[in-house]
Amino acid sequence: MDVQSQAEVETTALGVADIQRILATLPHRYPFLMVDRIVGIEGDKKAIGIKNVSANEPHFQGHFPDNPVMPGVLILEGMAQTAGTICLLNRPEDGAPSLVYFMTIDKAKFRKPVLPGDVLEYHMTQMSKRRNMWWFRGEAKVGGQIVAEAEVGAMIARGERK
């Protein structure tokens, strides 16, 4: 079974966040929103974020004009946004807005370039959770092959979203 079919099968049994739900949850907006859809959501334990990499994204103008490669730091940001979304979606609603702040990046490795036209998947699995802090292990994949991996930590804080 290919990766896309596997994601579709998981979607029928697990939670999904489309772009509207992501926008309602995260404060990020274009051009810094690095996830288009999240499938296979299992509470705050795991999920797969999906990013359709497009040639017209602004970072490709300078990274690199004749050989466009998605910057690794943006791949890590997509991992963090996927993890942050599922954490926020699973917080109790108490009326106060919440923001996710990136705390740590550990064991980051980049294995293959991500190019325009690729469908990037962020496979995020919770490693631990303590009060308002979460740590996730992530693998970014294109066509089922790992292109990057990292462990990320984040904190949820109350804040004013404007």
Side-chain angles (χ1 to χ4, degrees):
M1 180 180 300
D2 67 23
V3 175
Q4 188 66 27
S5 297
Q6 182 180 353
E8 288 171 6
V9 168
E10 291 174 356
T11 298
T12 61
L14 305 170
V16 175
D18 63 9
I19 191 64
Q20 295 304 320
R21 194 167 176 202
I22 294 167
L23 289 170
T25 305
L26 291 179
H28 303 79
R29 296 295 179 262
Y30 180 82
F32 208 70
L33 186 62
M34 295 294 138
V35 62
D36 298 320
R37 180 180 170 99
I38 302 175
V39 298
I41 300 171
E42 293 182 30
D44 64 353
K45 302 292 183 222
K46 66 191 310 189
I48 302 169
I50 298 172
K51 165 76 172 141
N52 296 301
V53 182
S54 173
N56 63 357
E57 293 181 49
H59 49 266
F60 289 129
Q61 293 175 16
H63 199 269
F64 302 99
D66 296 326
N67 185 25
V69 174
M70 185 166 180
V73 69
L74 296 182
I75 296 170
L76 294 176
E77 178 64 27
M79 289 180 179
Q81 288 179 13
T82 299
T85 300
I86 65 172
C87 290
L88 288 174
L89 287 174
N90 286 283
R91 298 276 295 178
E93 287 291 325
D94 61 6
S98 296
L99 296 172
V100 180
Y101 293 105
F102 221 154
M103 290 181 358
T104 63
I105 303 169
D106 294 307
K107 300 180 183 172
K109 295 180 183 171
F110 302 97
R111 307 213 177 268
K112 293 185 172 206
V114 176
L115 309 172
D118 286 344
V119 176
L120 183 57
E121 295 182 355
Y122 310 113
H123 294 253
M124 304 304 296
T125 303
Q126 185 190 113
M127 294 175 13
S128 64
K129 172 182 169 183
R130 194 173 14 190
R131 286 184 245 141
N132 63 336
M133 296 179 285
W134 278 259
W135 290 267
F136 282 83
R137 164 120 178 87
E139 292 181 339
K141 298 180 180 183
V142 172
Q145 292 190 352
I146 297 174
V147 296
E149 58 189 289
E151 293 177 2
V152 297
M155 175 180 72
I156 293 183
R158 299 289 180 210
E160 285 297 318
R161 269 210 243 169
K162 296 176 183 178

